[in-house]
Amino acid sequence: MNELPTHLRFTDRRGIDPSPPPATGQAEDYIDLREVIRACWRQAWVVVLCVVLFAALAIAYALSLQPRFTSYATILLDQDRAALVELISEQQIEALRDGIVQSEVEILKSQELALRVVDDLDLAARPGVLDTAASPAAAALGGIKAGLGALVGGMTGGTPEVAAPVADEATRLTRLKEKLALRLRGQLSVQRVGRSYVLGLSMKASDPALAQELAEGYVDAYLEFGRAGDAAALDSAVAWLRQRTDDLRKAATEAGRALEQYRIDNGLVSVGSRLLSEQEVSELMSQLILAEAEASAARAMAAHGADAVASGPEAALANLASLSADGAGRDQAIDTLRAEYLSLSRERSRVAERFGPRHSEVTAIDARLASVQGLLFEEVERRATQAENRADVQTRRVAALREGLSSATENASGDTGAQYELLQLQETAESYKQLYQSALTRLERTVNQLSLPIVDARVLTAPDTPTGASSPQKAKYAALGIALGGFLGALIGLVREMTRTALRTSEDVRRALGLPVLATMRKRRPWWRRQLTGARRDRARTNALRSMKIAVDGHTRRSGLRTVAFISARSGEDREGLAYEFAVMLAGHGIPTLLLDLAQDSRRPPHGHSLVGMMDGAPEPAFEALTVSPELPLAHLPGAAADSRDPGETAVFAGGDRMAEVIAAVSQPAQYIVLDLPAASEGPGARAFAEYAQTAILVHRAGKASDREVQSLAAQPDWDEKLCGAVLVEG
C-alpha cells in the first residue's frame, strides 16, 4: 500500500523575505531593450491620442486668432560718420560700443518715444485703430474673471466699482495718450542684427497700411529724438564744463600756494618723496635687523664650540668639521692632521687584526693617535674661543645700533605731525591739478563735437507694406501642439507604466516573484471556437504542459510518488483547467495519475466519491473505481460531494491522520498526485493542503491579480521552497 513519505507531512516552514529577491550584479549591468520596447508599444496609443488631440486644439486656436501684419525697417548706427567725428574732434567712438547699441534699443522701446509717435501721428484722434480682437483664451479668462468678481461682490453685498469721471479734459487726453503708447510698445519689436550696428524694427497691426504708417512714425520720431537729445545734452554739458573748469583751476592754484607756504613755515627738507629723518630711521632699522641676525648666528656657533670642548678629545675629529675658521677656506694643516689620524686608525686596525692588540707596534700607533687627538682638540678649543669672541662683538654691535635707532626715532618724532599735514597738502594739490586737466580736456572735446552737425544714425531700410499676415503661424502652433502632446502623452504613459500593479508579461512575473516562467499560454477557449485556432496552438499547449512536467521532475529529484499542487491568487485564472490538462497529459502517456479536485470548481466525475465522504467513514475505493475513462489511468477525486461548492469544507480534515490514510489508499498505483487547490482569495484551503505537496506551480492570468497579491502568495512559508515556476495565462 502506498504511504505518503514522511517528508511530505508537516514540513519545516522557513519564512522568506516577501520583498523581491535582490538583483544580481549581472542584472544591473544592462537594460532589457525588448522590455523597454514592449512598454513603449503598450503606451503608444496614449502618446498618439495626446499628440492628435493637442495638435487639433493648437490648430483650432491658431485659426481663431485675428491675423496680424508686420512692417519691417532697419536703422544703421553709422560707423563712418562716427569715425569722422573722431578724426576731427579727437574723441572716442561712443556709438560703436556694445553698451551704446543696447541703449539705442531701449530708447526705441521707451515710453517717451511711443508718446512722440502718438503725437506725431495724431493717434489720440483715432484711438480705435489700435484695438485688436481678444483671443478666445483671453476672452474666456476675462469672462471667468468678470463672473467671479460679480459672484464675490454679490456674496459680500458690495457694489461694482465705477471709475470716477475725469473732470479735466487735459488729464483725460494725457491718460488716453499713455494708454495708446502702451499699446504701441506691445506691438513693437526691436532687435540688434547679430553683432553689427544695425537695429531691426518691426511693427505689428491689424491692417497692412497701418503697420507701415506706425513703423514710419517710429523711425522718424527716433531720428528726431536723437538730434534733439544730442543738441540739448551738448549745450548743457558745455555750460557746466566751463564753470567747472574755472572752479578747478582756482582751487588747484590755491592748493599749490598753501603747500609751499607750509614747507617754508616748518623748515621741512625732503629728499624725493620722504623727509630726511625718515630715511635715517629706515636705514638704521635695516642695519639693526642684519646685525641681530648675525649676532644670533655667532651665539649659536659659540654654544656649539662650548659643547665641542665639553665632548673631550675623543670627539675632536667629529666636531672640528662643524667649527669654521673665521669663514675662511679649508685649513691645510688641519686637513693634514685629519688625514694622518685616519691613516693611523686604519693602520692600527690592520696591525691589531694581524698581530693582536697587545703588540708593540699597536702600542706605538696608539701613542701617535693620542698625540694627533691632542692637536685636534687644541684646534677645537681655539675655534670655540674665536666663536665666543665673535658672538661678543656682534652683541655689542646690536646694542650700539639699538641706541642709535632710539636717538634717531626721538629726533624724527617731532616731525610726525608736520609730515602728516604736509602729505595732506600734497595730495590735495595733486588732486586739484588732475581734476583741472581732465575737465579742460573734456571741455575741448565737447566743444569740437558741438561744432560738427553730424547725425550718428540713418535709415538703412525704409518700412515696407506687408503683403501677408505674419501671425498666427499655424505651423508653429501645430508643432507646439505636437510637442506638448507628445511630452504629455509620454509622461502619462510613463506614469501608467510605473503604476501598473497587475502582472501582465513574463518579465513582470520574473521581476516580481523571482520565479522562472515555465510557459505562457492562452486561456482555454470554448469548444465552438477551438476549431479556429488550429492544431498549432494545441501543440504549443501540449509542449507547455510537457515543460511543466520537466520542471516538476527536476524540482522533486526523486523516484516514486510525486505530488504537485496548482495554486493561484484569485479564482478564474484557469488554474483548474491547467491542473486537469496536466493530469490528462500524464495519463495520456500511460502514467497513473490521481487528480485531487480540492477547489471543487472543475468538472465532476460520474462515480460520486469524495474526500469528505471518506472522512465520514465511507470505505476507500480502489484507484480503478475513480478513473474517468477505461482508456486513461487517471483517477479523479473531488474534495466534497457534488452539491457542495465550499472549498473550506475539505480544508477542515486536511491536518488529520485519516486524510493522509485516504490519500495513501486511493493513490496506491499512482505515480503522480495533482492537487487542484483553491485560490488564495477564497480562504485557507490552499495552505491547509500545502503539506501534501512536494512541488507547486503558480498559475497567474495576466491582469487578473495585482503584484502584491501574487507576491504575498509566493512569499508564504508553505510555498517558499516548493514553487518550481509560474505559468502565465494570457487572454
Side-chain angles (χ1 to χ4, degrees):
M1 180 178 181
N2 261 349
E3 293 184 0
L4 292 178
T6 56
H7 71 278
L8 301 183
R9 298 299 310 275
F10 305 104
T11 55
D12 294 335
R13 298 177 178 181
R14 295 177 295 171
I16 62 173
D17 187 3
S19 60
T24 62
Q26 184 179 2
E28 296 178 353
D29 292 339
Y30 66 93
I31 297 176
D32 193 347
L33 294 179
R34 290 179 296 181
E35 184 60 27
V36 173
I37 294 173
R38 293 192 193 102
C40 294
W41 180 254
R42 286 194 297 268
Q43 306 300 331
W45 68 272
V46 179
V47 178
V48 173
L49 180 61
C50 290
V51 167
V52 173
L53 178 61
F54 276 83
L57 291 176
I59 294 175
Y61 178 78
L63 293 175
S64 65
L65 296 177
Q66 181 182 12
R68 306 295 299 276
F69 299 88
T70 304
S71 179
Y72 296 93
T74 54
I75 300 174
L76 173 65
L77 302 180
D78 205 334
Q79 179 180 1
D80 296 335
R81 300 188 182 188
L84 179 61
V85 173
E86 179 188 17
L87 179 63
I88 299 176
S89 62
E90 298 181 358
Q91 69 173 3
Q92 297 179 356
I93 311 176
E94 297 290 340
L96 300 184
R97 294 181 182 176
D98 289 344
I100 298 300
V101 176
Q102 285 299 123
S103 299
E104 298 299 321
V105 172
E106 296 302 322
I107 289 175
L108 281 166
K109 297 179 180 179
S110 64
Q111 178 75 1
E112 182 178 355
L113 192 63
L115 289 173
R116 284 177 176 265
V117 175
V118 171
D119 291 335
D120 294 344
L121 300 181
D122 196 15
L123 296 179
R126 42 176 185 157
V129 296
L130 297 181
D131 292 339
T132 57
S135 65
L141 290 177
I144 294 174
K145 183 177 179 181
L148 291 177
L151 180 61
V152 172
M155 294 176 62
T156 57
T159 57
E161 295 183 359
V162 180
V166 181
D168 189 3
E169 182 65 23
T171 304
R172 186 193 66 80
L173 183 59
T174 302
R175 292 182 179 178
L176 177 60
K177 290 182 178 181
E178 292 177 353
K179 183 178 179 180
L180 293 174
L182 289 175
R183 290 184 181 178
L184 279 178
R185 295 176 64 188
Q187 300 174 6
L188 174 70
S189 177
V190 182
Q191 298 182 21
R192 181 181 182 181
V193 181
R195 299 294 298 171
S196 65
Y197 307 113
V198 178
L199 303 180
L201 181 147
S202 60
M203 175 61 67
K204 294 183 179 181
S206 57
D207 183 72
L210 178 61
Q212 182 183 13
E213 180 184 3
L214 295 177
E216 290 176 348
Y218 250 102
V219 171
D220 295 340
Y222 169 71
L223 296 178
E224 182 61 30
F225 178 82
R227 285 191 290 265
D230 291 345
L234 288 174
D235 289 341
S236 301
V238 168
W240 181 83
L241 284 175
R242 289 184 186 278
Q243 181 63 36
R244 181 62 176 168
T245 303
D246 293 339
D247 295 341
L248 290 176
R249 179 175 54 80
K250 294 178 181 179
T253 302
E254 293 176 359
R257 187 181 297 111
L259 175 62
E260 295 300 329
Q261 186 63 37
Y262 186 80
R263 285 179 175 174
I264 295 173
D265 294 343
N266 292 273
L268 297 176
V269 179
S270 61
V271 179
S273 60
R274 296 190 301 175
L275 297 178
L276 188 61
S277 58
E278 284 183 347
Q279 293 187 0
E280 182 180 1
V281 172
S282 177
E283 292 176 358
L284 287 174
M285 183 66 72
S286 301
Q287 294 179 10
L288 178 60
I289 292 172
L290 294 176
E292 287 181 344
E294 294 176 357
S296 298
R299 285 193 296 270
M301 182 61 72
H304 180 63
D307 293 339
V309 172
S311 299
E314 293 78 4
L317 181 61
N319 293 325
L320 186 61
S322 60
L323 295 173
S324 62
D326 298 332
R330 298 178 60 87
D331 192 341
Q332 185 176 2
I334 299 303
D335 292 343
T336 302
L337 289 175
R338 183 184 293 109
E340 183 180 358
Y341 181 83
L342 296 175
S343 176
L344 289 173
S345 298
R346 289 192 297 269
E347 181 68 17
R348 183 188 182 283
S349 299
R350 184 179 61 80
V351 173
E353 181 180 359
R354 185 174 181 181
F355 301 104
R358 297 182 179 182
H359 194 269
S360 59
E361 185 68 21
V362 174
T363 305
I365 293 175
D366 288 340
R368 293 173 62 187
L369 283 174
S371 176
V372 173
Q373 280 184 346
L375 294 176
L376 291 175
F377 184 69
E378 290 177 1
E379 181 64 21
V380 169
E381 290 179 337
R382 185 182 68 81
R383 292 191 179 187
T385 303
Q386 290 179 354
E388 185 177 357
N389 293 336
R390 285 196 299 272
D392 184 59
V393 171
Q394 292 296 337
T395 302
R396 289 195 298 271
R397 180 188 175 194
V398 169
L401 287 174
R402 287 184 182 278
E403 184 179 355
L405 178 62
S406 176
S407 176
T409 304
E410 291 178 358
N411 295 334
S413 61
D415 298 337
T416 302
Q419 179 185 2
Y420 178 76
E421 186 67 25
L422 179 64
L423 289 176
Q424 295 294 324
L425 291 175
Q426 287 178 345
E427 291 178 358
T428 302
E430 187 65 24
S431 299
Y432 276 121
K433 182 178 179 181
Q434 292 179 358
L435 289 174
Y436 172 69
Q437 293 294 336
S438 177
L440 185 62
T441 302
R442 291 175 61 188
L443 176 61
E444 292 177 355
R445 291 178 179 176
T446 305
V447 171
N448 291 335
Q449 184 176 357
L450 182 62
S451 62
L452 296 174
I454 297 178
V455 181
D456 56 358
R458 59 189 175 93
V459 179
L460 192 62
T461 303
D464 58 345
T465 302
T467 57
S470 59
S471 65
Q473 299 178 3
K474 301 177 182 61
K476 182 180 71 174
Y477 279 94
L480 182 62
I482 292 174
L484 183 60
F487 174 75
L488 186 60
L491 183 61
I492 294 174
L494 179 62
V495 172
R496 282 171 50 86
E497 192 67 25
M498 293 180 64
T499 56
R500 282 199 316 146
T501 59
L503 305 178
R504 299 182 180 275
T505 64
S506 301
E507 182 60 30
D508 293 342
V509 175
R510 282 191 291 268
R511 183 180 63 252
L513 305 181
L515 294 175
V517 179
L518 304 179
T520 301
M521 307 178 66
R522 291 284 183 181
K523 186 179 179 183
R524 197 68 174 175
R525 298 188 177 185
W527 62 270
W528 62 84
R529 296 182 59 187
R530 293 179 187 173
Q531 296 179 356
L532 301 178
T533 60
R536 182 179 300 175
R537 186 175 300 276
D538 291 338
R539 286 196 301 269
R541 196 173 185 89
T542 302
N543 290 332
L545 294 173
R546 291 171 180 170
S547 300
M548 294 159 58
K549 179 184 182 302
I550 294 173
V552 169
D553 294 341
H555 192 265
T556 55
R557 293 182 180 177
R558 62 181 298 273
S559 60
L561 181 63
R562 294 181 176 89
T563 58
V564 55
F566 283 77
I567 62 175
S568 63
R570 290 187 182 182
S571 60
E573 298 195 65
D574 203 23
R575 179 204 67 256
E576 63 281 0
L578 282 176
Y580 185 81
E581 291 181 15
F582 183 74
V584 171
M585 185 270 296
L586 293 175
H589 287 79
I591 303 174
T593 305
L594 172 62
L595 173 62
L596 294 181
D597 183 13
L598 303 175
Q600 302 179 196
D601 50 8
S602 180
R603 54 179 59 85
R604 291 289 177 172
H607 52 69
H609 297 286
S610 66
L611 283 173
V612 175
M614 297 177 191
M615 295 298 104
D616 295 337
E620 299 91 349
F623 180 84
E624 291 75 9
L626 301 177
T627 56
V628 296
S629 174
E631 293 81 7
L632 289 177
L634 173 61
H636 184 184
L637 181 60
D643 56 350
S644 176
R645 289 291 179 179
D646 183 11
E649 184 178 359
T650 310
V652 174
F653 305 96
D657 294 336
R658 175 60 180 166
M659 179 63 73
E661 294 174 359
V662 170
I663 295 177
V666 299
S667 63
Q668 178 60 32
Q671 297 182 18
Y672 283 85
I673 299 178
V674 179
L675 301 176
D676 180 16
L677 299 181
S681 61
E682 295 181 347
R687 298 185 61 185
F689 283 91
E691 57 185 315
Y692 293 96
Q694 287 178 316
T695 183
I697 296 176
L698 176 63
V699 181
H700 173 67
R701 182 180 176 186
K704 185 68 176 178
S706 66
D707 54 352
R708 293 185 179 180
E709 292 178 297
V710 181
Q711 285 178 348
S712 176
L713 174 59
Q716 290 180 5
D718 301 296
W719 307 111
D720 58 348
E721 294 183 353
K722 296 181 179 181
L723 284 172
C724 65
V727 176
L728 181 64
V729 181
E730 297 179 347

